[in-house]
């Protein structure tokens, strides 16, 4: 179950980072931070069963 949750978290991180590559550098830095937040939130949600 941990691997499943971490896999979803990694997927969320990679999707946001990939989208960040299409944005200007100022926005890219902010999206990098949000990618970490999203990965954490998704991992926690999956571990809780959502």
């Amino acid at each position: 179950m941990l691997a499943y949750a971490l896999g979803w978290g990694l997927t969320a991180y990679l999707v946001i980072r990939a989208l960040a590559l299409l944005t200007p550098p100022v926005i890219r830095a902010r999206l990098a931070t949000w990618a970490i937040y999203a990965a954490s939130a998704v991992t926690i949600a999956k571990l809780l069963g959502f």
Side-chain angles (χ1 to χ4, degrees):
M1 179 156 178
L2 181 61
Y4 173 75
L6 290 174
W8 272 100
L10 180 62
T11 301
Y13 177 79
L14 292 175
V15 166
I16 293 173
R17 289 296 299 205
L19 291 174
L21 293 174
L22 302 173
T23 63
V26 175
I27 298 172
R28 190 176 306 153
R30 193 170 301 258
L31 283 176
T33 302
W34 282 103
I36 294 170
Y37 294 157
S40 299
V42 168
T43 301
I44 292 169
K46 289 296 179 182
L47 285 173
L48 292 175
F50 293 104

Coordinates of all heavy atoms in Angstrom, one line a residue:
M1 N 0.8 -1.2 0.0 CA 0.0 0.0 0.0 C 0.9 1.3 0.0 O 0.5 2.3 -0.6 CB -0.9 0.0 1.2 CG -1.8 1.2 1.3 SD -3.2 0.8 2.3 CE -4.0 2.4 2.3
L2 N 2.0 1.2 0.7 CA 2.9 2.3 0.7 C 3.5 2.6 -0.7 O 3.5 3.8 -1.1 CB 4.0 2.1 1.7 CG 5.0 3.2 1.9 CD1 4.4 4.5 2.4 CD2 6.2 2.8 2.8
A3 N 3.8 1.6 -1.4 CA 4.3 1.8 -2.8 C 3.3 2.4 -3.7 O 3.6 3.2 -4.5 CB 4.8 0.5 -3.3
Y4 N 2.0 2.0 -3.5 CA 0.9 2.5 -4.3 C 0.8 4.0 -4.0 O 0.6 4.8 -4.9 CB -0.4 1.7 -3.9 CG -1.6 2.3 -4.5 CD1 -1.9 2.1 -5.8 CD2 -2.5 3.0 -3.7 CE1 -3.1 2.6 -6.4 CE2 -3.7 3.5 -4.2 CZ -4.0 3.3 -5.6 OH -5.1 3.8 -6.1
A5 N 0.8 4.4 -2.7 CA 0.6 5.8 -2.3 C 1.8 6.6 -2.8 O 1.6 7.7 -3.4 CB 0.5 5.9 -0.8
L6 N 3.0 6.1 -2.7 CA 4.1 6.8 -3.2 C 4.2 7.0 -4.7 O 4.6 8.0 -5.2 CB 5.4 6.2 -2.7 CG 5.7 6.3 -1.2 CD1 6.9 5.5 -0.8 CD2 5.8 7.7 -0.7
G7 N 3.7 6.0 -5.4 CA 3.6 6.0 -6.8 C 2.6 7.1 -7.3 O 2.9 7.9 -8.2
W8 N 1.5 7.3 -6.6 CA 0.6 8.4 -6.9 C 1.2 9.7 -6.6 O 1.0 10.7 -7.4 CB -0.7 8.2 -6.1 CG -1.7 7.3 -6.9 CD1 -2.0 6.0 -6.6 CD2 -2.6 7.7 -7.9 NE1 -2.9 5.6 -7.5 CE2 -3.3 6.6 -8.3 CE3 -2.7 8.9 -8.6 CZ2 -4.2 6.6 -9.3 CZ3 -3.7 8.9 -9.7 CH2 -4.4 7.8 -10.0
G9 N 1.9 9.8 -5.5 CA 2.6 11.0 -5.2 C 3.6 11.4 -6.2 O 3.7 12.6 -6.6
L10 N 4.4 10.4 -6.6 CA 5.4 10.7 -7.6 C 4.8 11.1 -8.9 O 5.3 12.0 -9.6 CB 6.3 9.4 -7.8 CG 7.4 9.5 -8.9 CD1 8.4 10.6 -8.4 CD2 8.1 8.2 -9.0
T11 N 3.7 10.5 -9.3 CA 3.0 10.8 -10.5 C 2.5 12.3 -10.5 O 2.7 13.0 -11.4 CB 1.8 9.9 -10.8 OG1 2.3 8.6 -10.9 CG2 1.1 10.2 -12.0
A12 N 1.9 12.7 -9.4 CA 1.5 14.1 -9.2 C 2.6 15.0 -9.3 O 2.5 16.1 -10.0 CB 0.8 14.2 -7.9
Y13 N 3.7 14.7 -8.7 CA 4.9 15.6 -8.8 C 5.4 15.7 -10.2 O 5.7 16.8 -10.7 CB 6.0 15.0 -7.9 CG 7.3 15.7 -7.9 CD1 7.4 16.9 -7.2 CD2 8.4 15.3 -8.7 CE1 8.6 17.6 -7.3 CE2 9.6 16.0 -8.8 CZ 9.7 17.2 -8.0 OH 10.9 17.9 -8.1
L14 N 5.5 14.6 -10.9 CA 6.1 14.6 -12.3 C 5.1 15.3 -13.2 O 5.6 16.0 -14.1 CB 6.3 13.2 -12.8 CG 7.5 12.5 -12.0 CD1 7.6 11.0 -12.5 CD2 8.8 13.2 -12.2
V15 N 3.8 15.2 -13.1 CA 2.9 15.9 -14.0 C 3.0 17.4 -13.8 O 3.1 18.2 -14.8 CB 1.4 15.4 -13.7 CG1 0.4 16.3 -14.4 CG2 1.3 14.0 -14.2
I16 N 3.1 17.9 -12.5 CA 3.2 19.3 -12.3 C 4.5 19.8 -12.8 O 4.6 20.9 -13.4 CB 2.9 19.6 -10.8 CG1 1.4 19.3 -10.5 CG2 3.2 21.1 -10.5 CD1 1.1 19.4 -9.0
R17 N 5.6 19.1 -12.5 CA 6.9 19.5 -13.0 C 6.9 19.6 -14.5 O 7.6 20.5 -15.1 CB 8.0 18.6 -12.5 CG 8.2 18.7 -11.0 CD 8.8 20.0 -10.6 NE 10.0 20.3 -11.3 CZ 11.0 21.1 -10.9 NH1 10.8 21.8 -9.8 NH2 12.1 21.2 -11.6
A18 N 6.3 18.6 -15.2 CA 6.3 18.6 -16.7 C 5.5 19.9 -17.2 O 5.9 20.5 -18.1 CB 5.6 17.3 -17.2
L19 N 4.4 20.2 -16.5 CA 3.6 21.4 -16.9 C 4.4 22.6 -16.6 O 4.3 23.6 -17.4 CB 2.3 21.4 -16.2 CG 1.3 20.3 -16.6 CD1 0.1 20.4 -15.7 CD2 0.9 20.5 -18.0
A20 N 5.2 22.6 -15.6 CA 6.1 23.8 -15.3 C 7.1 24.1 -16.4 O 7.5 25.3 -16.5 CB 6.8 23.6 -13.9
L21 N 7.5 23.1 -17.1 CA 8.5 23.3 -18.2 C 7.9 24.2 -19.3 O 8.6 24.8 -20.1 CB 8.9 22.0 -18.8 CG 9.8 21.2 -17.8 CD1 10.1 19.8 -18.5 CD2 11.1 21.9 -17.4
L22 N 6.6 24.3 -19.3 CA 5.9 25.1 -20.4 C 5.7 26.6 -19.9 O 5.1 27.3 -20.7 CB 4.6 24.5 -20.7 CG 4.6 23.0 -21.2 CD1 3.2 22.5 -21.4 CD2 5.4 22.9 -22.5
T23 N 6.1 26.9 -18.7 CA 5.8 28.2 -18.2 C 7.1 29.0 -18.1 O 8.2 28.5 -18.1 CB 5.2 28.1 -16.8 OG1 6.1 27.5 -15.9 CG2 3.9 27.3 -16.8
P24 N 7.0 30.4 -17.9 CA 8.1 31.2 -17.7 C 8.9 30.8 -16.4 O 8.3 30.3 -15.5 CB 7.6 32.6 -17.6 CG 6.2 32.5 -18.2 CD 5.7 31.1 -18.0
P25 N 10.2 31.2 -16.3 CA 11.0 30.8 -15.1 C 10.4 31.3 -13.8 O 10.5 30.5 -12.8 CB 12.3 31.5 -15.4 CG 12.4 31.6 -16.9 CD 11.0 31.8 -17.3
V26 N 9.8 32.4 -13.7 CA 9.2 32.9 -12.4 C 8.1 32.0 -12.0 O 8.1 31.6 -10.8 CB 8.7 34.4 -12.6 CG1 8.0 34.8 -11.3 CG2 9.8 35.3 -13.0
I27 N 7.3 31.6 -12.9 CA 6.2 30.7 -12.5 C 6.7 29.3 -12.3 O 6.2 28.6 -11.4 CB 5.1 30.8 -13.6 CG1 4.5 32.2 -13.7 CG2 4.0 29.8 -13.3 CD1 3.6 32.4 -14.9
R28 N 7.7 28.9 -13.0 CA 8.3 27.6 -12.9 C 8.8 27.3 -11.5 O 8.5 26.2 -10.9 CB 9.4 27.4 -13.9 CG 9.9 26.0 -14.0 CD 11.0 25.9 -15.1 NE 10.5 26.4 -16.3 CZ 11.2 26.9 -17.3 NH1 12.5 27.0 -17.1 NH2 10.7 27.4 -18.4
A29 N 9.4 28.3 -10.8 CA 9.9 28.1 -9.5 C 8.8 27.9 -8.5 O 8.8 27.1 -7.6 CB 10.7 29.3 -9.1
R30 N 7.7 28.7 -8.7 CA 6.5 28.5 -7.8 C 5.9 27.2 -8.0 O 5.4 26.6 -7.0 CB 5.6 29.7 -8.1 CG 4.5 29.8 -7.0 CD 3.7 31.1 -7.2 NE 4.6 32.2 -7.1 CZ 4.7 33.0 -6.0 NH1 4.0 32.7 -5.0 NH2 5.5 34.1 -6.1
L31 N 5.8 26.7 -9.2 CA 5.2 25.4 -9.5 C 6.0 24.3 -8.9 O 5.4 23.2 -8.5 CB 4.9 25.2 -11.0 CG 3.8 26.0 -11.6 CD1 3.7 25.8 -13.1 CD2 2.5 25.5 -11.0
A32 N 7.3 24.4 -8.8 CA 8.1 23.4 -8.2 C 7.8 23.2 -6.8 O 7.7 22.1 -6.3 CB 9.6 23.8 -8.4
T33 N 7.5 24.3 -6.1 CA 7.1 24.2 -4.7 C 5.7 23.6 -4.6 O 5.5 22.7 -3.7 CB 7.0 25.6 -4.1 OG1 8.3 26.2 -4.2 CG2 6.6 25.6 -2.6
W34 N 4.8 24.0 -5.4 CA 3.5 23.4 -5.4 C 3.5 21.9 -5.8 O 2.6 21.1 -5.3 CB 2.5 24.2 -6.3 CG 2.1 25.4 -5.6 CD1 2.5 26.7 -5.8 CD2 1.1 25.5 -4.5 NE1 1.9 27.5 -4.9 CE2 1.1 26.8 -4.1 CE3 0.4 24.5 -3.8 CZ2 0.2 27.3 -3.0 CZ3 -0.4 25.0 -2.8 CH2 -0.5 26.3 -2.4
A35 N 4.4 21.5 -6.6 CA 4.5 20.1 -7.0 C 4.9 19.2 -5.8 O 4.3 18.2 -5.6 CB 5.6 19.9 -8.1
I36 N 5.7 19.8 -4.9 CA 6.1 19.1 -3.7 C 4.9 19.0 -2.8 O 4.6 17.9 -2.2 CB 7.3 19.7 -3.0 CG1 8.5 19.6 -3.9 CG2 7.5 19.1 -1.6 CD1 9.7 20.4 -3.4
Y37 N 4.1 20.1 -2.6 CA 2.9 20.1 -1.8 C 1.9 19.1 -2.3 O 1.3 18.3 -1.6 CB 2.3 21.5 -1.8 CG 3.1 22.5 -1.1 CD1 2.9 23.9 -1.4 CD2 4.1 22.2 -0.2 CE1 3.6 24.9 -0.8 CE2 4.8 23.2 0.5 CZ 4.6 24.5 0.1 OH 5.3 25.5 0.7
A38 N 1.7 19.1 -3.6 CA 0.7 18.2 -4.2 C 1.1 16.7 -4.0 O 0.3 15.9 -3.7 CB 0.6 18.5 -5.7
A39 N 2.4 16.4 -4.2 CA 2.9 15.0 -4.0 C 2.6 14.6 -2.6 O 2.2 13.5 -2.4 CB 4.3 14.9 -4.4
S40 N 2.9 15.5 -1.7 CA 2.7 15.1 -0.3 C 1.2 14.9 0.0 O 0.8 13.9 0.7 CB 3.2 16.3 0.6 OG 4.6 16.4 0.4
A41 N 0.4 15.8 -0.5 CA -1.1 15.7 -0.2 C -1.6 14.4 -0.8 O -2.4 13.7 -0.2 CB -1.8 16.9 -0.8
V42 N -1.2 14.1 -2.0 CA -1.7 12.9 -2.7 C -1.3 11.6 -2.0 O -2.0 10.7 -1.8 CB -1.3 12.9 -4.2 CG1 -1.5 11.5 -4.8 CG2 -2.0 14.0 -5.0
T43 N 0.0 11.6 -1.6 CA 0.5 10.5 -0.8 C -0.3 10.3 0.5 O -0.7 9.1 0.8 CB 2.0 10.6 -0.6 OG1 2.7 10.8 -1.8 CG2 2.6 9.4 0.2
I44 N -0.5 11.3 1.2 CA -1.2 11.2 2.5 C -2.6 10.8 2.2 O -3.2 9.9 3.0 CB -1.1 12.5 3.3 CG1 0.3 12.8 3.7 CG2 -2.1 12.5 4.4 CD1 0.5 14.2 4.3
A45 N -3.3 11.3 1.2 CA -4.7 11.0 0.9 C -4.8 9.5 0.6 O -5.7 8.8 1.0 CB -5.2 11.8 -0.2
K46 N -3.8 9.0 -0.2 CA -3.8 7.6 -0.6 C -3.6 6.7 0.6 O -4.2 5.6 0.7 CB -2.8 7.3 -1.7 CG -3.2 7.9 -3.1 CD -4.5 7.3 -3.6 CE -4.9 7.9 -4.9 NZ -6.2 7.4 -5.4
L47 N -2.7 7.1 1.5 CA -2.4 6.3 2.7 C -3.7 6.3 3.6 O -3.9 5.3 4.3 CB -1.2 6.8 3.4 CG 0.1 6.5 2.8 CD1 1.2 7.3 3.5 CD2 0.4 5.0 2.8
L48 N -4.5 7.3 3.6 CA -5.7 7.3 4.4 C -6.8 6.6 3.7 O -7.9 6.5 4.3 CB -6.0 8.8 4.7 CG -5.1 9.5 5.6 CD1 -5.5 11.0 5.7 CD2 -5.0 8.9 7.0
G49 N -6.6 6.2 2.5 CA -7.7 5.4 1.8 C -8.6 6.2 0.9 O -9.6 5.7 0.4
F50 N -8.3 7.4 0.5 CA -9.1 8.2 -0.4 C -8.7 8.0 -1.8 O -7.6 7.7 -2.1 CB -9.0 9.7 0.0 CG -9.6 10.0 1.3 CD1 -8.8 10.3 2.4 CD2 -11.0 10.1 1.5 CE1 -9.4 10.6 3.6 CE2 -11.6 10.4 2.7 CZ -10.8 10.6 3.8

